[in-house]
């Protein structure tokens, strides 16, 4: 089993990287292999013909597409989908027979012999230009109930996992993720990025992957931000 991770695809806006990767690596994979999108998966969004064609393409891949949610997701859709246990954690399929799965918040999965903890969500910086219930939902940030569940799951495994996949990062990693943007010294912080700080303190992990910041970089030996790159689980941007 091979597991790969990449960054945001925004419901088709950033699909070219997957087309390119699929033609070189993805087409050699099979049903035992997985590609995880680290948030802002974005499907479904507007149910357009083009979007449906893109979803059909993803569903037809020889490997399986998984994702954690970001801030740009159609949360109204996901509230209608049933939950299903899969490889140790709760998931939701995009549709009844779809192989595409949302990895639910605060869940722990066994993938490729590794324990992978996921916790999607992030705060939108553009919410002032979006319309609640149309293209923005307050559910973009995890609820206190979801964070409590995450604590319980991690306590159950002794606060030790192999990999973490989120959409945003902890407060302590924000300046590293944002650099060299002009505002990198004073990045936005919220209760969720603060919670991720507590995970940094308590959780033992080998590498933490996240998206959200539209760049590809190994921030250190244990943190990798992804956007265009597709890396094998365990690797950084440069291997």
């Amino acid at each position: 089993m091979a597991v790969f991770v990449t960054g945001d695809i925004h419901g088709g806006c950033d699909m070219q990287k997957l087309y390119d990767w699929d033609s070189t690596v993805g087409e050699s994979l099979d049903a035992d292999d997985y590609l995880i999108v680290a948030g802002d998966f974005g499907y479904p969004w507007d149910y357009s013909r083009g979007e449906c064609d893109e979803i059909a393409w993803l569903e037809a891949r020889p490997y399986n597409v998984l994702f954690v949610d970001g801030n740009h997701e159609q949360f109204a859709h996901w509230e209608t989908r049933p939950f299903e246990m899969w490889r140790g954690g709760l998931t939701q399929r995009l549709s009844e027979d779809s192989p595409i799965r949302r990895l639910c918040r605060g869940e722990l999965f066994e993938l490729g012999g590794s324990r992978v903890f996921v916790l999607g969500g992030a705060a939108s910086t553009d919410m002032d230009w979006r319309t609640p219930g149309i293209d923005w939902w307050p559910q973009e940030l995890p609820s206190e109930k979801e964070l409590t569940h995450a604590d319980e799951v991690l306590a159950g495994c002794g606060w030790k996992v192999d990999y973490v996949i989120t959409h945003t990062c902890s407060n302590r990693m924000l300046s590293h993720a944002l650099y060299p943007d002009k505002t990198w010294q004073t990045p936005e912080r919220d209760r969720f990025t603060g919670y991720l700080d507590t995970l940094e303190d308590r959780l033992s992990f080998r590498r933490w992957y996240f998206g959200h910041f539209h760049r590809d970089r190994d921030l250190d030996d244990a943190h990798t931000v992804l956007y265009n790159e597709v890396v094998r689980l365990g690797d950084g941007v440069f291997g």
Side-chain angles (χ1 to χ4, degrees), residues 66-78:
L66 314 172
F67 76 97
V68 305
D69 45 273
N71 48 298
H72 294 150
E73 311 288 358
Q74 228 275 37
F75 288 102
H77 169 82
W78 293 104

Side-chain angles (χ1 to χ4, degrees), residues 71-120:
N71 48 298
H72 294 150
E73 311 288 358
Q74 228 275 37
F75 288 102
H77 169 82
W78 293 104
E79 288 187 343
T80 70
R81 301 300 304 139
F83 294 96
E84 177 182 340
M85 285 297 296
W86 179 81
R87 292 192 171 273
L90 283 175
T91 66
Q92 293 173 291
R93 292 178 184 264
L94 190 147
S95 60
E96 183 176 358
D97 299 317
S98 178
I100 297 174
R101 293 177 184 268
R102 175 195 183 198
L103 304 179
C104 295
R105 293 172 175 175
E107 297 293 324
L108 185 65
F109 298 92
E110 294 285 342
L111 289 171
S114 298
R115 295 196 292 185
V116 181
F117 174 75
V118 305
L119 186 55

